[in-house]
Amino acid sequence: MGLEMDQRNMVAWRAAKEVAPGMAVNLGIGIPELVADFIPHEWQVMFHSVNGILGVGPTPLKGEEDQHISNAGGAPVTVVPGASYFDSTIAYGMIRRRKLDAAFIGALQVNRRGDLANWIVPGSRVHGIGGGAELAYYAKKVIVLMSHVNQAGEPKIRRECTLPLTAKGCVDLIITERAVIEVTQRGLLLTEVMYPFTLENVITNTGAPLMISENLQMVE
């Protein structure tokens, strides 16, 4: 199901805790774009866009957009001091040489092994897989930001993905409006439950087995 704006911001706020000063980070379309709003400016985090920018800044004020500066999703953006422009071959070269410390991406499904499906629902219109497969495979840390269930109320975290995969075994961390779940070699480890949801609610609405952390946190 779709998330309310406060829930989307909650996910982005929690995701921002995975960022450290000086990192190079790619933000996918949707909830990941909101992460930048929760990063202190003085941290000098450099946000990467596959269409050729390192140093993406905040969304411009209405009426102050530059039609020549946009992110990979086509939305207008600004740039920060020290930003660089380049063609997409260099943008992808940065990814493939593992220069990105983290990639925050959306997902349709994630399974118990950290396989990712996030690019197509068969039969629906799609523009292509884009940079998702590259980021999923090469970023040093892959963090999925998504709703816990789909519009039909079905779990998006599953034993097995039923949608076409973007990449296998790539996801390190899942953050939803209900929980934070680490992908480990032993399986999925639940580390945080988000208020107002309960442990029972998270388990019921997760379609894969969960190990419960001994240090489980209830986040308000």
Side-chain angles (χ1 to χ4, degrees):
M1 61 176 51
L3 299 183
E4 300 292 336
M5 196 62 204
D6 60 341
Q7 292 178 312
R8 290 164 61 88
N9 280 321
M10 174 69 172
V11 174
W13 167 80
R14 175 56 186 82
K17 293 187 175 185
E18 302 299 316
V19 179
M23 274 188 169
V25 176
N26 184 281
L27 301 178
I29 298 170
I31 297 175
E33 294 176 307
L34 301 175
V35 174
D37 295 338
F38 298 94
I39 304 296
H41 176 71
E42 62 271 18
W43 281 15
Q44 297 183 335
V45 174
M46 297 298 278
F47 292 108
H48 172 274
S49 184
V50 294
N51 62 326
I53 306 174
L54 183 65
V56 175
T59 302
L61 297 175
K62 189 174 182 179
E64 297 184 7
E65 301 91 343
D66 185 329
Q67 63 178 337
H68 300 295
I69 306 178
S70 67
N71 62 22
V77 295
T78 60
V79 293
V80 300
S84 300
Y85 300 100
F86 32 81
D87 65 24
S88 58
T89 59
I90 294 177
Y92 279 95
M94 291 178 177
I95 298 171
R96 292 167 184 165
R97 291 177 65 86
R98 301 187 185 274
K99 299 298 184 182
L100 295 185
D101 297 296
F104 293 86
I105 55 182
L108 298 169
Q109 294 177 343
V110 178
N111 72 12
R112 56 196 170 94
R113 295 182 300 275
D115 296 348
L116 170 69
N118 81 335
W119 77 282
I120 189 172
V121 175
S124 65
R125 183 179 178 184
V126 66
H127 297 290
I129 198 168
E134 306 273 359
L135 290 163
Y137 188 77
Y138 289 110
K140 294 176 184 176
K141 186 171 187 178
V142 176
I143 302 168
V144 163
L145 310 182
M146 66 177 186
S147 57
H148 206 89
V149 300
N150 62 21
Q151 292 184 345
E154 301 166 335
K156 294 173 69 173
I157 303 168
R158 310 171 61 91
R159 282 181 176 270
E160 301 292 343
C161 294
T162 58
L163 297 174
L165 293 183
T166 305
K168 291 185 176 182
C170 61
V171 177
D172 298 294
L173 188 68
I174 305 166
I175 303 175
T176 75
E177 81 285 5
R178 305 187 190 207
V180 177
I181 300 170
E182 295 180 11
V183 181
T184 76
Q185 292 185 343
R186 296 176 54 221
L188 300 177
L189 178 66
L190 177 65
T191 61
E192 299 175 33
V193 174
M194 304 295 194
Y195 178 86
F197 299 99
T198 64
L199 174 60
E200 181 181 6
N201 178 275
V202 171
I203 293 173
T204 301
N205 287 279
T206 302
L210 290 174
M211 300 181 293
I212 311 301
S213 171
E214 294 179 358
N215 300 311
L216 180 68
Q217 298 181 44
M218 309 300 291
V219 180
E220 297 186 5

